[in-house]
Amino acid sequence: MDSDYGVPRELSDLQKKRALYHPELPPCLQGIEVRVEFGDQTITSDQTSAHATRQAFPHTYGQPLVHFLRPTAKVPDAQIISEHPPIRVGVVFCGRQSPGGHNVIWGLHNAIKSHNPGSVLLGFVGGSEGLFAQKTLEISDGVLSTYKNQGGYDLLGRTKDQIRTTEQVIAAMTACQALKLDGLVIVGGVTSNTDAAHLAETFAEAKCSTKVVGVPVTLNGDLKNQFVETDVGFDTICRVNSQLISNICIDALSAEKYYYFIRLMGHKASHVALECALQSHANMVILGEEVTMSKLTISDIIKQIADAVQARAKQEKYHGVILIPEGLVESIPELYALLQEIHGLHNQGVSAENIPFRLSPWASALFEFLPAFLRTELLLNPESDESAQLSQIETEKLLAQLVELEMNKRTKEGTYKGKKFSAVCHFFGYQARGSLPSKFDCNYAYVLGHICYHILEAGLNGYMATVTNLKSPVDKWRCGAAPITAMMTVKRSSRGPGATPIGKLALHPATVDLKGKPYEIFQEKALSFLMDDVYRNPGPLQFDGPGAETKAITLCVEDWDYMGRIKLFQEYLDKVKSIVKPGCSQDVLKTALSSMASVTNVLSLISTPSFGSQTTL
Amino acid sequence: MDSDYGVPRELSDLQKKRALYHPELPPCLQGIEVRVEFGDQTITSDQTSAHATRQAFPHTYGQPLVHFLRPTAKVPDAQIISEHPPIRVGVVFCGRQSPGGHNVIWGLHNAIKSHNPGSVLLGFVGGSEGLFAQKTLEISDGVLSTYKNQGGYDLLGRTKDQIRTTEQVIAAMTACQALKLDGLVIVGGVTSNTDAAHLAETFAEAKCSTKVVGVPVTLNGDLKNQFVETDVGFDTICRVNSQLISNICIDALSAEKYYYFIRLMGHKASHVALECALQSHANMVILGEEVTMSKLTISDIIKQIADAVQARAKQEKYHGVILIPEGLVESIPELYALLQEIHGLHNQGVSAENIPFRLSPWASALFEFLPAFLRTELLLNPESDESAQLSQIETEKLLAQLVELEMNKRTKEGTYKGKKFSAVCHFFGYQARGSLPSKFDCNYAYVLGHICYHILEAGLNGYMATVTNLKSPVDKWRCGAAPITAMMTVKRSSRGPGATPIGKLALHPATVDLKGKPYEIFQEKALSFLMDDVYRNPGPLQFDGPGAETKAITLCVEDWDYMGRIKLFQEYLDKVKSIVKPGCSQDVLKTALSSMASVTNVLSLISTPSFGSQTTL
């Protein structure tokens, strides 16, 4: 695979304008000097994972949280880096392309060159395969000129998603050493950042001097945790999809004769579907997380949709728009169990043609019940992260067909008296991935690129670049870095024959939090969305005028700023320490002790692993 | 069906901004008085059609062309209408929704009310069905407020596409008389405007005082003729689709592993596909008109695509984007013949299940060769204009599957040595129809709405509102009206059992002109598009900044201004007449005679029906 750099590119007026846009930097990254503050040592979010992570990552677990501050910031222990020797950095796109990827490279290049023009940035051509093969393109301003603020990963391209097997890891290390890299920046989602963490640990173990840095870029919106508020690309994807969904809503309302079943790309989690529902006010969205929580079977879901169709028919409404996340198929218990059996047989080397004959009687019965197109799609080889090929499984068609059968049945039984139910199916996936990135994604990616440079300059290994307080304007953004190991958890899934071992340590896709603010807001409005057709059209992505500065609703309603709060907590601790010093009064000490005892008790209680699960019951 | 007016609508920031935009009027329509100039009597573009039209439309054929001019324009015979008695007008959406429809109503309302606040505009709720049932909504500024510059037809909705049967025509006339309408404005494409022409003739015959006016609004871009440069909605549809196609191009270029087969809505003609190809520089487009002209069979088309895949593979390119107009299926001779047989059997009342058994041996063999999904889709009932249900026939999947078979065959034979061919299919249809209209469509629709009022005020019946010189800024637009009968031609198609009679007089969808400028430009670039991946991303539809004022490429490269030229021709005639008056010199008269004889001979020759067909051979 070759880089497309050098191919003549005809930019449209809008692309030219976008290429001229220069993202703003938050105050802490402006100027040459940046103050690095090391915070507390990090832990993982639960104790089981902490133990497993400590064992698996002896060199990179427990590293401190890092904040980047203005050189003038009044922080006692922070360190100012004022020497900027030339460095050599490699950057690689891993996994599915996501809008904004090019801006990470641009930000990184800009930071590297502005600190020392002698530094070198090498892009690996063709993703991880290019890394293994040491196929590089030296990044320069000229190379970047037509890729700034543009979509796709076409400047460098991408191939395989993983850097995981021993051979792959050795090839990566060999490349870094041969190219004398001080740093390797991996741009990708949960899988690629898990790989980045492993690579960092291996490099540290092998005393390879290349530091590994991860950047959260994935359209799925599922690289999200206490340190990462959202990932690059999610905003753009949701806006492109919401535009199309809204167009379909208006279309449905104009013709008043179809139900549109729209499947949305977004992998296992339903973040994209939830955000699009909040933006477009589509009538229904079947969130995978709700299905999992309530253990809804196919027939439960069909009943739910059919009941909605029936309720709307009573109001003379024979149209509607229903959003289906592509991951839904893995949330429906019986389909998930069937997929697990199929993947188990794949792993045992059984060919796709023979799998149907090797299924358990139960799975076989379900398999035979499904329409032919779905059977073929379920038999496809699983993806590199062992999930099904979600983009290929037409769940929307399955649901539409089954709802139609159900409505016909109800008509025959006389329980449904409305007009004939008609469905049109859509899959919105590939048409959003290559979009021009939104202003938000342009800025966010560019700033993350800058942060990567400062992480490397501070000599950190196995970190992810982070920006928090993203819902505020850029001048309020906080820049930092968190060890990727602190985001890891032990996965407890996978059953069935030949399943992967229980307890895999990795970054796992964040699911939609059913106790979170965005879901709460959605629930308040769900009935009105369903019945009242209060469709809202965010319109096409704008780069000027109203709408240009909009950000994802799920980002803005969240009460985020974890990093800010961690800092605030530290300030409280320092304040308390400074008050309760030897020589303070008995009263002060007594009050301090009783208050701290109470705080300690409460926190111990709610930090036990069982606490969370009890409250959800 | 109810109007959605009154349903609470939450507008996004962009929608609010759009609602505040007020389209400009060309100079001739500014102010209260407009000068109406009657041009020459119109004819149709060929003599056979002229004869048939004169017979079928005795009251409305041969009416003069009309130009609307500034009251200060120096035109001798023009008439200024300075009295503006209150009028009552009805407006109805017919056929598929198209972006910009709402602005026709707004423009019409604004013109009506600014000339006499006592005038009334009634919208028919639910399309032609609403017209028959006399279900109206009085249009006011309040009603319009959240629909200005917005997409869809949801203010009024639409149902059936036709006003054609005797019952329907009578119901329409009854409604117009009961509601005391001075005018009925029909918003739609070729079918609806054909209906408008028939309705106008019937009304004139029956001495019904309601005048009928048509407005060219259809996303297909196929209501295009010597008087109509483009229709409302085409620009928006092409821009939304081009955005998505470009995103897919970037996606293809990033992952470098898929061929995307994208089917585009646009009915029989390939205007949308051609415009999108010019905007996005996708690798290939299979224009129905090319297929028809060269009589390409399925296997010719498959070979063409497979050869392209093979040529690209030699350059290590394993990705690409191929555009397929939805009408292609009717351009491929064997599929067309099969569809004709199926529709013939439909017309004979044969049920879909039995059709396969009633096909001729030849058609039956082809039918059995086709994949199951396509067989089901081909058997669907034809649409009201007797074409197949193009939006439901997945030609892109058929082609992708057959190309895959062909590449596998070539691999086995050793003639193709590249990587495995992988295709992903998309249909871009419904997701564009409900889009916020582009600035161009907003302006064009609004101006057409205004013109409708002036047509009615001038007492004209059976006219279509026209704007020419559209590629220039609004202040250079020319406003006029042309009798719909002048756009009619006799259709010479339809074969097979039970086919419709030869020689149907109607407005026919304009096809892509293979001798026209847009196609010429496309042909010059086609090889580079195919091989060089010079993708261009027009980006999402903008309403501010670069790209906001863009217009369709096929519109701008055309050397249009038919109406302007007709006027210029008239000026030459007048000039010649004023020179060659009794009393002029012998020399002048002699030169005039010889020149006019020569002109007359040349024009007579190229106006004969056979002339055009000879030159194309």
Side-chain angles (χ1 to χ4, degrees), chain B residues 248-514:
Chain B
I248 295 236
C249 291
I250 304 266
D251 198 71
L253 200 54
S254 302
E256 303 195 299
K257 55 183 182 177
Y258 292 124
Y259 273 89
Y260 292 89
F261 285 68
I262 303 175
R263 182 166 44 108
L264 293 168
M265 198 174 254
H267 217 53
K268 287 164 189 276
S270 308
H271 301 286
V272 173
L274 177 59
E275 174 68 28
C276 290
L278 287 170
Q279 289 205 18
S280 67
H281 301 185
N283 298 96
M284 254 185 130
V285 54
I286 315 287
L287 298 174
E289 289 80 355
E290 281 182 323
V291 170
T292 301
M293 190 192 64
S294 312
K295 297 209 172 53
L296 300 180
T297 62
I298 302 182
S299 60
D300 293 333
I301 297 172
I302 299 304
K303 186 174 176 301
Q304 197 176 320
I305 302 175
D307 288 349
V309 170
Q310 190 157 346
R312 288 178 56 84
K314 278 208 184 123
Q315 299 187 6
E316 289 292 306
K317 288 174 181 158
Y318 293 99
H319 64 276
V321 177
I322 299 170
L323 306 183
I324 318 276
E326 65 174 357
L328 181 66
V329 66
E330 290 197 341
S331 303
I332 302 174
E334 62 267 49
L335 287 178
Y336 178 74
L338 174 60
L339 278 168
Q340 287 299 113
E341 275 204 32
I342 292 174
H343 294 173
L345 291 166
H346 268 300
N347 290 345
Q348 291 173 27
V350 180
S351 72
E353 304 91 72
N354 289 325
I355 286 179
F357 308 106
R358 300 278 298 273
L359 292 171
S360 69
W362 179 87
S364 179
L366 173 62
F367 189 75
E368 290 308 318
F369 159 78
L370 297 171
F373 71 85
L374 204 77
R375 290 204 294 262
T376 318
E377 293 161 359
L378 292 176
L379 289 178
L380 294 170
N381 272 308
E383 301 219 41
S384 59
D385 65 350
E386 279 150 21
S387 64
Q389 286 205 24
L390 299 175
S391 65
Q392 306 298 323
I393 300 180
E394 297 171 294
T395 327
E396 76 285 13
K397 280 199 187 165
L398 175 69
L399 296 183
Q401 286 188 5
L402 294 179
V403 171
E404 187 174 349
L405 287 177
E406 173 69 19
M407 296 319 294
N408 292 346
K409 189 175 133 250
R410 293 186 184 191
T411 306
K412 262 193 193 153
E413 294 170 355
T415 48
Y416 173 68
K417 295 182 172 60
K419 289 190 209 166
K420 196 172 160 18
F421 168 84
S422 292
V424 173
C425 293
H426 277 287
F427 172 47
F428 290 168
Y430 301 99
Q431 57 267 63
R433 290 200 321 203
S435 172
L436 286 178
S438 66
K439 258 187 165 173
F440 172 79
D441 276 330
C442 289
N443 296 342
Y444 183 28
Y446 183 82
V447 170
L448 286 172
H450 255 264
I451 294 172
C452 289
Y453 167 75
H454 294 289
I455 292 175
L456 293 172
E457 229 196 10
L460 303 170
N461 183 33
Y463 274 75
M464 190 184 292
T466 65
V467 179
T468 51
N469 203 21
L470 283 169
K471 67 177 176 181
S472 302
V474 178
D475 62 4
K476 297 273 185 297
W477 286 4
R478 295 173 202 274
C479 299
I484 304 177
T485 49
M487 305 171 190
M488 288 193 154
T489 47
V490 173
K491 190 185 184 178
R492 301 152 191 281
S493 60
S494 303
R495 292 157 297 184
T500 48
I502 300 254
K504 208 177 147 196
L505 190 63
L507 254 70
H508 292 297
T511 53
V512 168
D513 180 2
L514 299 184

Side-chain angles (χ1 to χ4, degrees), chain B residues 35-48:
Chain B
R35 193 180 276 261
V36 186
E37 182 194 8
F38 293 93
D40 259 1
Q41 290 202 334
T42 53
I43 55 169
T44 61
S45 64
D46 71 281
Q47 291 183 5
T48 327

Side-chain angles (χ1 to χ4, degrees), chain B residues 103-279:
Chain B
N103 271 30
V104 173
I105 299 187
W106 178 24
L108 177 58
H109 176 260
N110 186 285
I112 282 180
K113 292 288 183 179
S114 62
H115 286 81
N116 191 326
S119 291
V120 171
L121 177 61
L122 298 175
F124 287 103
V125 176
S128 49
E129 295 284 321
L131 168 63
F132 307 148
Q134 305 181 25
K135 210 163 160 187
T136 61
L137 170 72
E138 186 171 342
I139 306 296
S140 67
D141 230 28
V143 166
L144 286 169
S145 65
T146 56
Y147 293 91
K148 292 173 180 173
N149 306 309
Q150 314 290 333
Y153 275 9
D154 49 322
L155 169 62
L156 296 175
R158 58 104 175 170
T159 42
K160 288 260 173 73
D161 305 4
Q162 54 169 32
I163 312 173
R164 198 172 314 157
T165 65
T166 315
E167 297 78 48
Q168 289 170 338
V169 171
I170 290 176
M173 182 145 50
T174 311
C176 290
Q177 287 170 330
L179 296 165
K180 299 192 173 56
L181 296 187
D182 300 290
L184 174 65
V185 174
I186 293 179
V187 178
V190 284
T191 315
S192 309
N193 278 286
T194 302
D195 288 348
H198 283 287
L199 211 56
E201 178 68 24
T202 310
F203 284 12
E205 169 79 35
K207 306 214 185 312
C208 163
S209 63
T210 311
K211 310 295 181 199
V212 182
V213 177
V215 189
V217 181
T218 163
L219 56 94
N220 303 324
D222 58 2
L223 206 179
K224 202 164 143 175
N225 52 48
Q226 58 273 50
F227 309 106
V228 181
E229 294 180 357
T230 187
D231 40 44
V232 173
F234 176 71
D235 183 67
T236 307
I237 294 294
C238 291
R239 289 174 69 178
V240 175
N241 282 332
S242 297
Q243 167 200 358
L244 301 180
I245 293 164
S246 304
N247 289 351
I248 295 236
C249 291
I250 304 266
D251 198 71
L253 200 54
S254 302
E256 303 195 299
K257 55 183 182 177
Y258 292 124
Y259 273 89
Y260 292 89
F261 285 68
I262 303 175
R263 182 166 44 108
L264 293 168
M265 198 174 254
H267 217 53
K268 287 164 189 276
S270 308
H271 301 286
V272 173
L274 177 59
E275 174 68 28
C276 290
L278 287 170
Q279 289 205 18

Side-chain angles (χ1 to χ4, degrees), chain B residues 83-106:
Chain B
E83 301 236 331
H84 309 289
I87 58 169
R88 292 174 61 84
V89 180
V91 59
V92 59
F93 286 136
C94 283
R96 292 179 176 183
Q97 51 271 35
S98 186
H102 287 141
N103 271 30
V104 173
I105 299 187
W106 178 24

Side-chain angles (χ1 to χ4, degrees), chain A residues 307-505:
Chain A
D307 288 349
V309 170
Q310 190 156 347
R312 289 177 54 84
K314 278 207 182 122
Q315 298 189 6
E316 290 293 306
K317 288 175 181 156
Y318 293 99
H319 63 276
V321 177
I322 300 172
L323 307 183
I324 318 277
E326 64 174 359
L328 181 66
V329 64
E330 289 199 341
S331 303
I332 301 173
E334 62 269 46
L335 287 178
Y336 179 74
L338 174 59
L339 278 169
Q340 287 300 114
E341 274 202 33
I342 292 173
H343 293 173
L345 291 166
H346 269 299
N347 289 346
Q348 291 172 30
V350 180
S351 72
E353 304 89 76
N354 289 324
I355 286 178
F357 308 106
R358 299 280 297 274
L359 292 171
S360 68
W362 177 88
S364 180
L366 174 62
F367 188 75
E368 289 308 318
F369 160 78
L370 297 170
F373 70 85
L374 204 76
R375 290 205 294 263
T376 318
E377 293 161 358
L378 292 175
L379 289 178
L380 294 171
N381 273 308
E383 301 220 40
S384 60
D385 65 350
E386 279 150 20
S387 65
Q389 287 205 24
L390 299 175
S391 65
Q392 306 297 324
I393 301 179
E394 298 171 294
T395 327
E396 77 285 12
K397 280 199 185 165
L398 175 69
L399 296 183
Q401 286 190 4
L402 294 178
V403 171
E404 188 174 348
L405 287 178
E406 173 69 18
M407 296 319 295
N408 291 348
K409 189 174 134 252
R410 292 185 185 191
T411 306
K412 264 194 193 153
E413 293 170 355
T415 49
Y416 173 68
K417 295 181 174 58
K419 289 189 210 168
K420 193 166 161 28
F421 167 85
S422 290
V424 174
C425 293
H426 277 289
F427 171 47
F428 289 169
Y430 301 100
Q431 57 266 66
R433 290 201 322 202
S435 172
L436 285 178
S438 67
K439 258 189 169 172
F440 172 79
D441 276 331
C442 288
N443 295 342
Y444 183 29
Y446 183 82
V447 170
L448 285 172
H450 256 265
I451 294 173
C452 290
Y453 167 75
H454 294 291
I455 292 175
L456 292 172
E457 230 198 9
L460 303 170
N461 183 31
Y463 275 74
M464 190 186 290
T466 65
V467 180
T468 53
N469 204 22
L470 284 169
K471 68 177 174 181
S472 302
V474 177
D475 63 2
K476 297 273 186 295
W477 285 5
R478 294 173 202 275
C479 300
I484 304 176
T485 49
M487 305 170 191
M488 287 193 155
T489 48
V490 173
K491 189 185 183 180
R492 300 152 193 284
S493 61
S494 307
R495 292 156 297 186
T500 49
I502 300 253
K504 205 174 149 200
L505 189 64

